[in-house]
């Protein structure tokens, strides 16, 4: 099976997954910091915490399971395809404080771009070895 091949050939790269874990933790902190500025923040935070748990399991076991591979692939497809529930469209707004809105959205953009970069890096490595 593909996952055994990936594990046997040592394509699991702990450093990348630790970077991914740190990135997700950073997103959660920023989303929680500005959660009152967006109505559906709780759903995003819950999803990121669930994903963080899966990353922690992957790091602990030092292997990619089918669930993690599917999740990584799904995340790249759904979180960054510019639809209403994607991270690419995540932003906050405070009509009474535009300065706070701008600061918050810049901070959110930085953490999402970092997450996107590491997620794509891992997904590309995995997909390359699947072919």
């Amino acid at each position: 099976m593909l996952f055994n091949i990936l594990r046997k050939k040592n394509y699991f790269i702990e450093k990348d997954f630790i970077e991914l874990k740190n990135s997700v933790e950073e997103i959660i902190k920023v989303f929680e910091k500005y959660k009152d500025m967006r109505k559906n923040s709780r759903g995003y935070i819950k999803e990121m915490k669930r994903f963080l748990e899966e990353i922690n399991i992957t790091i602990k076991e030092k292997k990619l399971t089918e669930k993690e591979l599917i999740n990584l692939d799904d995340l790249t497809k759904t979180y960054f395809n510019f639809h209403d529930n994607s991270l690419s469209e995540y932003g906050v707004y405070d009509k009474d404080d535009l300065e706070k809105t701008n600061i918050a959205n810049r901070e959110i953009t930085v953490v999402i771009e970092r997450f996107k970069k590491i997620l794509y890096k891992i997904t590309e490595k995995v997909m390359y070895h699947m072919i």
Side-chain angles (χ1 to χ4, degrees), residues 56-73:
N56 288 334
I57 290 169
T58 301
I59 292 171
K60 183 179 176 183
E61 295 179 358
K62 295 193 183 317
K63 65 181 179 180
L64 290 172
T65 65
E66 184 173 359
K67 183 178 179 181
E68 280 91 22
L69 283 174
I70 290 169
N71 197 8
L72 285 174
D73 191 43

Side-chain angles (χ1 to χ4, degrees), residues 75-88:
L75 282 173
T76 56
K77 290 176 184 171
T78 59
Y79 278 0
F80 301 108
N81 281 343
F82 298 103
H83 57 79
D84 290 341
N85 293 326
S86 77
L87 287 176
S88 297

